[in-house]
């Protein structure tokens, strides 16, 4: 076999490092038993009459007590390590009955590689594939290992948990976008990792590392009551972290050797196809990233979850191939057999993975309900785009009511009190005698409106108590930049101690949404070594245009990346004022480029959104005014309940908090779109790469984004009024809100 020498060297390097990890465990055990051994010697000497006298008697008592304390501490550490539940990635398990062709392909691949077949297959909403060890008792009974002929003995004894092969986790976008041959080539180095994983020394070292990592998360969890409990957990944590530091380098080198061996073994299988398929990995990520941040996220915020995300990624990538000359020729692949044909019911599997994506990236509920219902792509423009814009417009007018802004503009007929775009434009327009743009004086308290012009108190409720305030609590406007991801490891890059040995991404590709393998010792507070949460870099004004409905839709998707960082810990009460002060300074810096009126309105919108999000965090995800689901989701696979910890949702939030300028820009854009739909015959639409869009006679509106930015930043409504005049939009006409 090609590369056998490199493969053997990789296995030997991994085994030597595994033995080094096990030596750390042995040394720790020896240190724990040393006082007990000394106590046994002293007790035996006293019983035989060799070590007698007052000094020896005192020494026997001291050493015996010390031995008991050390043994108790060692037993406590061992108990915590044994009982701690290692974290695994939430997935949707694919039963063999629902995908016999997929299981057959994987087993045939394992036979060609001469390695054990994975014990099961699972899907994740991620552009990556890896092996994951789920042999811990908390992860449920291990699936039976397949017999060589594919049959199992009925009624036979269950296999030992330590003998179960790891689970093969496949990114669902690969199944829908890749062809069967491409998927086989991409999975080859991943499946090859089951060979080194079956080595007893490597498996034992991995179990030890996973146990320490999970124990570190358990003992560092907050909420301990009493000084004794905190002291005990603090001592246990120091011991566990000391062991992790001793194992970290050896564990990393062990995983690197495992990945090296797997990559060398996989070179003999579809090597040429795998080189071409790696291009599809990067392309799949590009479409998946845009679909999640531009299309799925607005729906999740409205209490709706697209039930066919994987079908959407195919449409997004097809559109990308049409727009981007770098993707020419990719659409011709669609004539080949897609890998999703290996599933018996791809629609049901797509729905289960789509719901899992909503929970991972947004924190939605576990099933459909009147406040959290699926939406089809045909209904997306009406149920998501239209409702998003009208909800934002309603919030904008409620904040204007709270600021005391009169509803009737100066040039409109008396008695016109409906929500109009003219009201927004007149308020944001900078008067000639006002300070120059960029000045940010402290806004004075809003003066009481004229009784003759002020709306009825029922028509101008306080934002916190408005009847419609709760109707938008799960929604925020369209984000300003797709979420950044970390750079992925190469096809032979090792992962951490969770059993993952090979990734499908190349160094030039974007990283997956799935948390990367953690460095040993990095942990969360929920009993596992969840990796750091990727966060997007703060978008700037130059990238706002691509997200607004009038932005340039022909630009290829951005590929800016941000280094993943661990989620910031909750500030302590003493540090909270400093954090709030820093946030206020950041908001002031962001709003310094707007007018005084714009800054006041942005502050009001930010406060209103914060109240709505606080309500949503108490009552659950989803908007209460979301229409009930037309039909419950089809019965089918569901995320594995044993892998969930609802306290940690969302595990991978897509977007950071938006700035006041972004919030104001999105709300003004939504109001313009509502006026365009109600007065000029425009219709909402879905763009697969840019999300919500506005169509005039079937053509996407252009040049809206710079006009809105000019109004928000300088208070000049001229460009926006010119744009509306050309399209026949009537700003003085009332619009329909949610």
């Amino acid at each position: 076999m090609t590369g056998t020498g490199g493969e053997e060297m990789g296995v030997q390097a991994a085994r030597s490092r595994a033995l080094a990890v096990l030596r750390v465990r042995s040394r720790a055990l020896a240190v724990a038993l040393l006082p007990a051994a000394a106590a046994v010697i002293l007790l035996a000497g006293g019983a035989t009459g060799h070590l007698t006298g007052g000094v020896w008697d005192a020494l026997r008592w001291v050493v015996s007590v010390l031995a008991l304390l050390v043994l108790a501490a060692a037993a406590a550490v061992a108990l915590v390590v044994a009982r701690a539940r290692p974290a695994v990635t939430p997935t949707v398990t694919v039963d063999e009955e629902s995908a016999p062709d997929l299981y057959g392909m994987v087993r045939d691949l394992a036979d060609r590689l001469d390695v054990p077949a994975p014990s099961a297959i699972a899907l994740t909403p991620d552009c990556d594939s890896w092996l994951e060890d789920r042999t811990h008792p908390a992860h449920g009974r291990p699936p039976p290992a397949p017999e060589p002929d594919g049959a199992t003995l009925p009624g036979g004894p269950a296999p030992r948990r330590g003998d179960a092969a790891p689970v093969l986790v496949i990114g669902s976008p690969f199944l829908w976008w890749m062809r069967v041959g491409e998927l086989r080539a991409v999975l080859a180095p991943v499946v090859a990792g089951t060979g080194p994983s079956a080595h007893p020394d490597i498996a034992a070292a991995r179990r030890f590392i996973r146990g320490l990592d999970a124990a570190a998360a358990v003992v560092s969890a907050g909420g301990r009551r009493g000084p004794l409990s905190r002291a005990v957990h603090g001592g246990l944590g120091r011991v566990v972290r000391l062991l992790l530091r001793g194992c970290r380098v050896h564990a990393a080198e062990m995983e690197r050797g495992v990945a090296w061996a797997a990559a060398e073994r996989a070179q003999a299988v579809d090597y040429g196809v795998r080189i071409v398929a790696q291009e599809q990995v990067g392309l799949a990520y590009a479409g998946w990233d845009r679909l999640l941040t531009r299309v799925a996220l607005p729906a999740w915020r409205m209490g709706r979850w697209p039930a066919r995300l994987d079908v959407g990624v195919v449409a997004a990538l097809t559109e990308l191939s049409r727009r981007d000359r770098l993707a020419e020729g990719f659409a011709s692949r669609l004539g080949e057999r897609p890998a999703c044909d290996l599933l018996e019911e791809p629609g049901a599997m797509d729905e289960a993975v789509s719901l899992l994506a909503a929970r991972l990236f947004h924190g939605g509920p576990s099933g459909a309900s009147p406040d959290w219902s699926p939406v089809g792509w045909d209904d997306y423009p009406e149920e998501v785009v239209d409702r998003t814009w009208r909800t934002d417009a309603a919030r904008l007018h409620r904040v204007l009511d709270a600021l005391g802004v009169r509803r009737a503009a100066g040039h409109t007929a008396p008695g016109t009190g409906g929500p109009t775009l003219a009201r927004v434009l007149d308020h944001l327009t900078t008067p000639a005698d006002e300070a120059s743009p960029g000045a940010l004086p402290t806004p004075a308290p809003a003066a009481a409106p004229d009784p003759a012009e002020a709306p009825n108190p029922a028509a101008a409720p306080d934002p916190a108590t408005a009847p419609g305030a709760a109707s938008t609590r799960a929604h925020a406007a369209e984000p300003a930049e797709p979420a950044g991801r970390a750079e992925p490891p190469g096809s032979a890059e090792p992962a951490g101690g969770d059993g993952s040995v090979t990734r499908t991404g190349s160094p030039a590709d974007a990283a997956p949404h799935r948390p990367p393998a953690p460095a040993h010792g990095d942990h969360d507070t929920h009993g596992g070594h969840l990796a750091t949460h990727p966060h997007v870099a703060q978008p700037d004004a130059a990238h706002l245009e691509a997200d607004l409905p009038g932005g340039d839709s022909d630009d290829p998707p951005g590929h800016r990346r941000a280094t993943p960082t661990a989620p910031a810990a909750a500030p302590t009460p003493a540090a909270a004022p400093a954090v709030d002060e820093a946030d206020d300074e950041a908001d002031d810096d962001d709003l310094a480029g707007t007018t005084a009126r714009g800054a006041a309105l942005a502050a009001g919108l930010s406060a209103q959104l914060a109240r709505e999000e606080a309500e949503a965090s108490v009552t659950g995800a989803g908007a209460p005014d979301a229409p009930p689901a037309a039909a419950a989701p089809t019965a089918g696979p569901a995320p594995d309940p044993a892998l969930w910890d609802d306290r940690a949702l969302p595990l991978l939030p897509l977007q950071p908090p938006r700035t006041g300028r972004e919030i104001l820009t999105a709300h003004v854009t939504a109001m313009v779109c509502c006026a365009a739909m109600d007065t000029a015959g425009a219709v909402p639409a879905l763009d697969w790469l840019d999300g919500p869009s506005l169509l005039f006679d079937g053509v996407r509106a252009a040049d809206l984004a710079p006009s809105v930015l000019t109004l928000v930043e300088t208070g000049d409504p001229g460009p926006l009024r010119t744009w509306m005049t050309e399209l026949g939009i009537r700003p003085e006409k009332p619009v329909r809100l949610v």
Side-chain angles (χ1 to χ4, degrees), residues 153 255 281 358 405 440 445 454 459 491 500 539 732:
L153 297 177
E255 296 299 339
V281 173
V405 180
L440 188 58
S491 60
S500 171
E732 72 280 2

Side-chain angles (χ1 to χ4, degrees), residues 129-275:
S129 297
W130 66 93
L131 293 172
E132 194 162 82
D133 190 352
R134 297 182 180 178
T135 58
H136 193 274
H139 300 153
R141 178 176 177 178
E147 296 294 329
D149 57 356
T152 57
L153 297 177
R160 292 184 303 170
R161 185 171 296 275
D163 295 337
V167 175
L168 174 61
V169 182
I170 304 175
S172 64
F174 292 166
L175 284 174
W176 270 260
W177 174 245
M178 288 187 173
R179 308 300 98 179
V180 174
E182 294 170 346
L183 180 65
R184 178 188 178 91
V186 167
L187 293 181
V190 183
V191 175
T194 60
S197 299
H199 195 283
D201 294 334
I202 296 176
R206 282 176 166 174
R207 285 195 298 269
F208 179 59
I209 293 295
R210 284 195 303 272
L212 290 178
D213 207 3
V218 171
V219 299
S220 63
R224 306 297 178 191
R225 296 182 179 180
L228 180 60
S229 176
R230 288 194 293 269
V232 171
H233 283 84
L236 294 177
R238 283 190 289 271
V239 173
V240 170
R241 285 189 288 271
L242 178 63
L243 294 176
L244 281 173
R245 283 195 295 270
C247 298
R248 180 180 293 122
V249 175
H250 299 302
E253 293 298 326
M254 177 185 68
E255 296 299 339
R256 187 170 290 110
V258 169
W260 179 13
E264 289 291 338
R265 181 180 290 268
Q267 285 185 358
V269 179
D270 300 332
Y271 182 74
V273 180
R274 187 162 67 253
I275 296 176

Side-chain angles (χ1 to χ4, degrees), residues 111-421:
D111 290 340
R112 290 191 58 185
L113 294 169
D114 194 22
V115 296
S119 59
I121 299 176
L123 298 184
T124 181
D126 183 10
C127 291
D128 197 3
S129 297
W130 66 93
L131 293 172
E132 194 162 82
D133 190 352
R134 297 182 180 178
T135 58
H136 193 274
H139 300 153
R141 178 176 177 178
E147 296 294 329
D149 57 356
T152 57
L153 297 177
R160 292 184 303 170
R161 185 171 296 275
D163 295 337
V167 175
L168 174 61
V169 182
I170 304 175
S172 64
F174 292 166
L175 284 174
W176 270 260
W177 174 245
M178 288 187 173
R179 308 300 98 179
V180 174
E182 294 170 346
L183 180 65
R184 178 188 178 91
V186 167
L187 293 181
V190 183
V191 175
T194 60
S197 299
H199 195 283
D201 294 334
I202 296 176
R206 282 176 166 174
R207 285 195 298 269
F208 179 59
I209 293 295
R210 284 195 303 272
L212 290 178
D213 207 3
V218 171
V219 299
S220 63
R224 306 297 178 191
R225 296 182 179 180
L228 180 60
S229 176
R230 288 194 293 269
V232 171
H233 283 84
L236 294 177
R238 283 190 289 271
V239 173
V240 170
R241 285 189 288 271
L242 178 63
L243 294 176
L244 281 173
R245 283 195 295 270
C247 298
R248 180 180 293 122
V249 175
H250 299 302
E253 293 298 326
M254 177 185 68
E255 296 299 339
R256 187 170 290 110
V258 169
W260 179 13
E264 289 291 338
R265 181 180 290 268
Q267 285 185 358
V269 179
D270 300 332
Y271 182 74
V273 180
R274 187 162 67 253
I275 296 176
V276 178
Q278 287 296 334
E279 299 177 2
Q280 305 306 319
V281 173
L283 186 65
Y285 170 79
W288 185 247
D289 182 83
R290 294 289 286 247
L291 187 74
L292 289 181
T293 56
R294 305 295 183 89
V295 178
L297 189 59
W300 294 338
R301 287 170 170 165
M302 290 299 297
R304 311 299 299 273
W305 51 278
R308 295 292 185 269
L309 280 179
D310 290 307
V311 172
V313 77
V314 176
L317 291 174
T318 304
E319 179 68 14
L320 178 63
S321 67
R322 184 187 67 83
R323 296 184 188 181
D324 191 352
R325 63 182 182 85
L326 297 178
E328 290 180 359
F330 289 145
S332 62
R333 302 168 46 260
L334 300 180
E336 304 174 14
R337 185 190 181 194
C340 63
D341 281 355
L342 300 174
L343 303 174
E344 291 292 315
E345 297 182 2
M349 197 65 64
D350 192 1
E351 185 167 357
V353 174
S354 300
L355 180 57
L356 176 60
R359 300 202 70 196
L360 285 176
F361 302 126
H362 185 66
S366 59
S369 67
D371 298 341
W372 182 249
S373 54
V375 61
W377 293 124
D378 293 338
D379 299 328
Y380 186 95
E382 182 67 24
E383 296 294 339
V384 176
V385 180
D386 182 82
R387 291 178 62 82
T388 295
W389 288 339
R390 297 190 188 279
T391 300
D392 278 356
R395 184 185 299 110
L396 178 62
H397 280 278
R398 286 199 302 273
V399 174
L400 289 175
D401 291 339
L403 293 176
V405 180
R406 60 186 181 181
R407 282 184 172 264
H411 57 274
T412 57
T416 302
T420 63
L421 176 59

